[in-house]
Each structure stands twice: as structure tokens, then as C-alpha cells.
Amino acid sequence: MTGADPAEDYRRVSVALPAVRMLVEPSPNARVVSGATIVDPSWLAARVAQTARVWRCEDSRVSATLWWYSASSALLAVPTAMLLSIGTAPDPSPERMTFTLRPDGSFATTRSTTVLPGPAEFAVALRATFEAMIGPLAEIGGVGERSLWAIAADGLGNRALDAGSALAGPAAGSAMAVRLAELVGEPMLTPRFVDVRAGVQLPADPTADPAAGARRFVRRSSCCLLYLTGAAADPGDSDAADRAKCISCPNQLPAVRLARLGALVG
């Protein structure tokens, strides 16, 4: 670790990427919770139940998956931004963390009391934290652990790609995502990417920026299952569930997915 107080690292990454500030600074009235809570099976069960209520979902597999989709992404957003901007990362070990929640039970802010000097140290700590969360969450929701690891890999790809694109170009983010996944090791999958230009899907080299006119996206290997919730369905609208799928959702026809991604590129 680089020191007991990472305030300067948080300040620097917030200067480099101003959007990070809202992910690390709780609102004045927010209840700050100890990070040790995130590996408590009873707390995780409460989040799955809360997600079920919010999204009107009776299937615990869907509720657990949907909560983890949001949670894993939130736990990766600041570390990838910090690694790409200043080279350090907040320690994701539960005992080092504090967090706040939104009313729906998703993470609003996360913060660590220490920072780690680079991606190798971060990957070791991240693996331990995700193992401690995924095991009980899989049991609570009746979900395969590999499915939850796949969601984490896609979240890693998206958060790193977002930060890299804002800082130095898409390749900085996609290359970092691949490196971190390799450092974490199995069962974390290696994030995959695709470049899209004018409705055409092109092979993506994570270490090189897309060709002119193309935009890079994560080629997802997982699904949040939002479209299976009661909140996404509409008995009077047979297409409501399909519209609720993420633009890059793997559970849609490839031609539909490509068309939706192409619409973002223009």
C-alpha cells in the first residue's frame, strides 16, 4: 500500500476524471457502512430481497444476478479510473472499505482507507473480495458462480473502457481490462471487445485503438437478466422485455445487437 490516507489519490483521480467525485464522496445525509458488511451472507440476502421488491421479480436467480451486475460494476469503477489516471488503486479488501447505498440497494459510493501501488496488488485483493462475495451470493440466488464471474469480467471491461476512453483512448482501457483479468486469473474471464463502424462489426485488438470512424464496445459474455423482471415486462406490450435488454446484451439476435450498437456510432 502507498499510505494510510488515500485522500490525495482520490483528489488526483477526481481531477483527471471529475465524474469519479460522485462515486467516492457520500452525500451529506448518507449512511456510511463498513465494508465488512459486503461479505455477510445475511446482508447479501437482504440486497437480493430488496432487488426483488424494487424490480418486481419472483426469481431469486434473476434478483441476485441483477444486483451483482450493478454491485460488481460499482466496485470496479473507481479502481480502473485510478489505475489508468495515476497508477494506484483503492484497496478493495472489505475491512478497508466503506460504502453508501442508494434507496434501491445498489452502491452509491465506495471508498477505501488505503491504496495499493499497482494492478498486480489490486488484482490479488480484488480476487479475494469477489470470491468472498460470489460464493454466498451464488448460494442465496441459486446462480452458478461462473455466471457471476462472467458478469464481473464484463463490468471490468466496461468500466476500464469508459475510463480509458476519457483519458487516453479506448486501447488504454481495453488493454488494462485484459491485463487485470489475467492477473486475477480463473475463474475471471478475459473481457472481450468489438469495434463497430457504419453497421459493420470489426475485430478488436485490445492493445490498439479502433480504426477511424469505429467505436469500441465490450462483447458481453453475460446478461444482467433485467428483461426477465416484472418491472421490465408489460402485459400490453409484447416487445417491452426486448427493449429492456442492454444494447450489447448477448440474449438478442446478433443482427439486432449490431444495429443497436451501430446507431450509437452513427
Side-chain angles (χ1 to χ4, degrees):
M1 66 188 77
T2 61
D5 182 4
E8 177 61 15
D9 294 68
Y10 280 116
R11 186 196 68 79
R12 290 172 62 197
V13 69
S14 295
V15 169
L17 282 171
V20 168
R21 189 177 304 278
M22 64 183 294
L23 303 178
V24 298
E25 295 186 359
S27 60
N29 298 321
R31 176 173 173 257
V32 179
V33 184
S34 167
T37 308
I38 67 175
V39 295
D40 179 354
S42 62
W43 185 86
L44 291 170
R47 300 288 72 71
V48 173
Q50 184 176 11
T51 301
R53 292 192 299 271
V54 169
W55 293 98
R56 304 202 310 273
C57 179
E58 298 180 359
D59 188 338
S60 60
R61 178 183 68 95
V62 174
S63 301
T65 300
L66 184 55
W67 183 82
W68 178 243
Y69 173 84
S70 171
S72 57
S73 180
L75 292 170
L76 289 162
V78 178
T80 51
M82 191 178 286
L83 282 167
L84 284 162
S85 58
I86 62 176
T88 61
D91 187 343
S93 303
E95 65 273 17
R96 303 286 187 187
M97 289 177 55
T98 57
F99 65 89
T100 62
L101 294 177
R102 298 186 180 92
D104 66 357
S106 62
F107 286 107
T109 63
T110 62
R111 197 173 180 101
S112 180
T113 59
T114 57
V115 291
L116 300 171
E121 295 81 2
F122 172 72
V124 171
L126 180 69
R127 180 187 180 95
T129 297
F130 276 11
E131 284 179 336
M133 296 181 73
I134 285 175
L137 186 62
E139 184 173 352
I140 291 162
V143 190
E145 291 190 18
R146 290 190 67 85
S147 295
L148 298 180
W149 278 105
I151 287 174
D154 286 342
L156 171 60
N158 272 315
R159 298 292 73 78
L161 185 59
D162 288 346
S165 298
L167 290 167
S174 52
M176 172 62 77
V178 170
R179 183 184 179 197
L180 280 174
E182 291 173 345
L183 288 168
V184 171
E186 290 283 350
M188 173 76 86
L189 301 179
T190 300
R192 302 178 301 169
F193 300 91
V194 61
D195 295 340
V196 176
R197 178 178 60 191
V200 177
Q201 182 172 299
L202 307 170
D205 175 359
T207 65
D209 280 331
R215 179 175 171 182
R216 179 157 297 165
F217 300 93
V218 172
R219 183 180 178 184
R220 297 192 63 89
S221 58
S222 71
C223 178
C224 68
L225 303 183
L226 172 65
Y227 73 99
L228 296 178
T229 65
D234 184 343
D237 183 353
S238 59
D239 296 325
D242 281 336
R243 288 200 304 274
K245 293 176 181 177
C246 303
I247 289 176
S248 58
C249 178
N251 288 333
Q252 58 189 333
L253 293 173
V256 172
R257 181 171 57 251
L258 180 58
R260 296 179 75 191
L261 292 173
L264 293 180
V265 179

